[in-house]
Each structure stands twice: as structure tokens, then as C-alpha cells.
Amino acid sequence: MAGVPSAQPVAARHWGTTSPFAEAVKSEIKDSGVTITLLMPGQVDTAFWHRAHMDTSRLGLGEKAAPTKVASEGDEAIRPGRTAWWPA
């Protein structure tokens, strides 16, 4: 998560846990016709930050992706059956 140094270890730990899990499930169901795509959009500009009283926190003030962009790119990411996606 660029620009948020304190979030980098959390993001790395989260990626280190979720991606292998998604890969394992994908491997287990490979012959079923079902695909697994793990979407990890990072911070998204939604009302969450205000409702969680975090809009003035370091993360709340950080750069966030537009919800429409996340939805559009996430939709495209699941079409080819990728295992993991996060915005550039």
C-alpha cells in the first residue's frame, strides 16, 4: 500500500496468507469447472472510513481507489480466471 508505511507489513502478511489459500483451493477444484479469483483492491473510497470514525486516521487520509474503478477492474480480472488481482 503505497504511501502508508505502517500498512505495508499488514498487507504483506495478508497477501502471504490469502494468496496461498486461494492457490490451494484452485488446485483442489481444478477439474470441477469452477474458478477462484481473489480480489484484493486495497483501500477504496467508500463511506466505511467515516462510519468507522477513521476518516482522520493515517489510513483514512491515505490514497484510495474510486469504487467504480475497483468494480470495473475487478470485473475484468475475474473473466480470465486469474487467481489474484489488485489494482496497479
Side-chain angles (χ1 to χ4, degrees), residues 3-76:
V4 187
S6 63
Q8 291 171 347
V10 173
R13 183 181 70 227
H14 185 71
W15 169 253
T17 303
T18 54
S19 181
F21 178 75
E23 290 287 347
V25 172
K26 182 178 180 178
S27 176
E28 289 291 322
I29 64 169
K30 67 181 176 190
D31 297 325
S32 71
V34 175
T35 61
I36 298 292
T37 304
L38 176 63
L39 301 176
M40 300 182 296
Q43 293 173 217
V44 181
D45 191 10
T46 65
F48 164 81
W49 304 100
H50 180 70
R51 282 188 229 143
H53 306 287
M54 293 180 63
D55 36 9
T56 58
S57 70
R58 178 183 267 180
L59 290 174
L61 294 171
E63 186 176 334
K64 296 174 196 65
T68 52
K69 180 180 181 200
V70 170
S72 175
E73 290 181 10
D75 182 56
E76 288 299 315

